[in-house]
Amino acid sequence: MANLFTLPDSSPRLLSSGIEALSVSDFVLLPLVLLGSAFVINRGSILPRSDPYYYKWFERPQTTLVRNVQTEIRSRNISDLAKTNSADLVIFWGSQSGTAEGFAHRLAREVHRRLNLKSIVADLQDFDPETITRITTSTLLVFIVSTFGEGDPSDNAQHFMSWLQDTKKSEGLASMEHLKFAAFGCGNSNYRYYNKTVEGIIDGMRKCGATQLCHTGRGDEATRTTEEDFTEWKDTFFSTLVSQLGVAEVERGYEPLVAVVEDPSLSSDQLQLGPPLSKGHRGQAKSRDTVSVPVIANRILAQYPSKTRACIEVTVDLSEHAHVKYKTGDHIAVWPENSTEEVSRLLSMLGLEDKYTTPIRISQLSDHDDAKVPALTTIGALFRFYLEICSPIPRETVQILAKMAPTTSTRTALQQISQDRRAYSEFLQNNYLTLSRLLEYTCSIDSSTCWKSLPLPFIIDILPTMQPRLYSIASSRITSPRHVSITVAVKPSELSSDSMISIPGLCSTHLSVIKASSNINAEQPRIHVQIKPSKFKLPVNISIPLVMVAAGTGIAPFYAFLQERTRLRSIGRDVGPMILFFGCQNDNDYLYREQLDTLANGSLAGKLEIVTAFSRSGDKKTYVQDTIKQRQRDVFRLLKDKEAALYICGSATMAKAVGNVLTKAAMDITGWPESQANDWMVNKKRSNRWFEDVWS
């Protein structure tokens, strides 16, 4: 067989004759053919073009597709961050509603302005707690934390508090003898465990050897003095730094924390126009994602003589987000929007009314502070979705504005109303004050006043970030797994000196104007929500009796509880007896009356008793704690002898009054001393038989 890889003897002669047969024109034409082919293959270029999408191989899509989540991975070692940035202070915050977080940022700004010291503002959940012990002696620690519910720390402070509790119990586990710290707590004295979180931090830090630099500040929302309490503590804190650490006070002008640049080249798909700015944290469950959901129902539960007041039930649909789930008794956080009227009012005062749709690029001037607003948005969206433009104005903000006042008379007026705590309090009693209204007030003093030169970065710095509002869920997961309902009181507050001036609630007003379409094919209005887990849960053993105490919209979780037990009973399960104490103003304020009567007389007959208390019906005011006192023997027998679970939902004042009534009942019925009655109550809570879901 011939070798296929061996050329025949005649092949050189064939090649030679072929070459001789080629003409000059052949040699000219061949390169032209090759060049033409390359031009076609490379789509208009002789040389190969680089792939314009080559960079896609190296992109992390989560950083571009999810614009409302910060996904940058940073070191969780706070000591490294403090050292890298040469920080004089690390200000830790733990916040549930945003107040403590706002105080932390304000303190950092003022520390720099007054003392020329550099601070890092740190979210407690962003760093590993044990790395705090490695912070150097030259760096001062400050803790600004809130307490909510029954002495609970905020969600972002829970891990740190657990670590600190374990650390102080373990001798020598973490030494902090080289550290100095200061602390301020946000709380409510109507709660039984007033400012428990900050007390726990102080106790833990001291037992680990740290030295407290100055007295503990305590804000009290029950007296509406949290803002002034913080201001007074802050002044003491600065005095301590000057006297004990030898720091000299300086006076610096305003220095922005962000830079804002108008950028018309930005396209609409690059801009964040509504979705909340949120951070994804390590270990956060997908079920706690912030999502956009349609509002499928909005019905009136109670209507009042005042047209601005009502109680509504809003229902949203989670079906688009299969990973988002809730449990009966959970909360749902709802992001509000500022009204068009309020946005226009502020834009007009700042001379920005013609720039509502102008795209802007916002950049942090610090490489370690988290962004409080989106980096790419519009001026209109900034004021509508991301800043609390209707929030109260702190007195120190008025003092800063006085220094930036465009006229002498305006400066004098602002200085007069902010000169001290008393003067500002009197001014607030007679004026509904927001930033736009404050600017309008100065224009009424001096018509030549113009605030159009007020820097936009300054507005971003002084206004708090938009915060979600928490609502108890009024639906049961087993009866309505994808539809979540909340009960909302639309009740504007009134100015103390003039009842004709009403101050609307931001989120409740926003929800009240959202109307779902009856056309199932129509595009429904949408809101952004997030499920927030709660400890307010039914016992696993459904035969355990329930004692439920509600006032106003505090009925919401109990309506969910009753729906769940109704379903369980319908399938043959034996549910325990239940008694519901419900406080309302009058018969018109009796929320879910028809539904509750149907349950008590129908599917839960013989299992549910409802006791109402009307505080505005007839000559005598009857509150829910009064009806409990009237039935104290029945209630105490259920709680003590039948091991019933007690649930209280409503105002903190009401919950405190109910607790006092039950403690007194325990003493009267059993003859216990007060200490033993208090111990009984504490043990009920420890054994998950006493729950409170309350607000100020």
Side-chain angles (χ1 to χ4, degrees), residues 367-623:
D367 58 0
H368 55 264
D369 282 341
D370 291 328
K372 61 184 292 186
V373 294
L376 305 177
T377 186
T378 64
I379 291 178
L382 175 69
F383 288 134
R384 185 176 183 89
F385 302 112
Y386 301 113
L387 294 174
E388 297 256 11
I389 66 174
C390 296
S391 63
I393 303 300
R395 180 164 59 92
E396 65 179 11
T397 298
V398 181
Q399 293 172 338
I400 296 173
L401 273 173
K403 297 177 181 179
M404 306 175 73
T407 67
T408 303
S409 56
T410 298
R411 183 181 304 109
T412 301
L414 292 175
Q415 288 172 340
Q416 286 178 346
I417 66 175
S418 63
Q419 59 184 316
D420 55 38
R421 182 172 184 164
R422 180 177 178 180
Y424 196 54
S425 177
E426 291 178 354
F427 182 77
L428 291 179
Q429 289 176 8
N430 297 287
N431 294 274
Y432 168 28
L433 202 64
T434 60
L435 179 59
S436 60
R437 287 172 173 80
L438 177 62
L439 300 182
E440 288 177 345
Y441 166 77
T442 62
C443 293
S444 69
I445 300 295
D446 184 347
S447 59
S448 67
T449 300
C450 178
W451 293 99
K452 293 183 179 181
S453 61
L454 204 60
L456 187 54
F458 173 75
I459 304 299
I460 297 174
D461 288 345
I462 65 171
L463 288 176
T465 307
M466 183 69 78
Q467 296 292 333
R469 274 54 171 176
L470 286 182
Y471 293 93
S472 298
I473 293 177
S475 50
S476 164
R477 182 183 177 182
I478 68 171
T479 61
S480 181
R482 305 313 299 161
H483 292 174
V484 176
S485 297
I486 57 176
T487 309
V488 182
V490 185
K491 185 180 178 181
S493 58
E494 297 175 349
L495 205 62
S496 58
S497 64
D498 188 350
S499 60
M500 298 301 293
I501 300 178
S502 63
I503 304 174
L506 179 60
C507 194
S508 59
T509 302
H510 172 58
L511 291 173
S512 69
V513 299
I514 295 178
K515 303 301 180 184
S517 173
S518 57
N519 183 356
I520 59 174
N521 296 319
E523 182 73 19
Q524 299 288 13
R526 305 179 76 87
I527 58 176
H528 287 90
V529 301
Q530 180 186 28
I531 299 298
K532 294 282 190 178
S534 166
K535 298 178 182 178
F536 207 74
K537 296 290 190 294
L538 282 167
V540 176
N541 184 348
I542 64 172
S543 64
I544 291 176
L546 306 181
V547 177
M548 298 170 284
V549 184
T553 55
I555 190 66
F558 301 136
Y559 185 49
F561 285 4
L562 295 177
Q563 293 176 67
E564 185 147 318
R565 285 212 160 179
T566 297
R567 174 61 62 85
L568 292 172
R569 196 182 190 197
S570 70
I571 61 175
R573 303 288 297 277
D574 183 26
V575 301
M578 296 163 283
I579 182 169
L580 169 63
F581 293 92
F582 186 21
C584 323
Q585 287 193 353
N586 50 52
D587 198 56
N588 294 330
D589 200 35
Y590 193 163
L591 306 180
Y592 298 109
R593 177 171 186 166
E594 293 182 6
Q595 295 90 335
L596 292 175
D597 286 345
T598 300
L599 293 175
N601 298 316
S603 53
L604 291 178
K607 291 292 185 179
L608 173 63
E609 179 186 0
I610 301 175
V611 181
T612 56
F614 297 125
S615 61
R616 299 290 188 277
S617 180
D619 297 332
K620 185 180 179 181
K621 294 183 178 181
T622 302
Y623 295 98

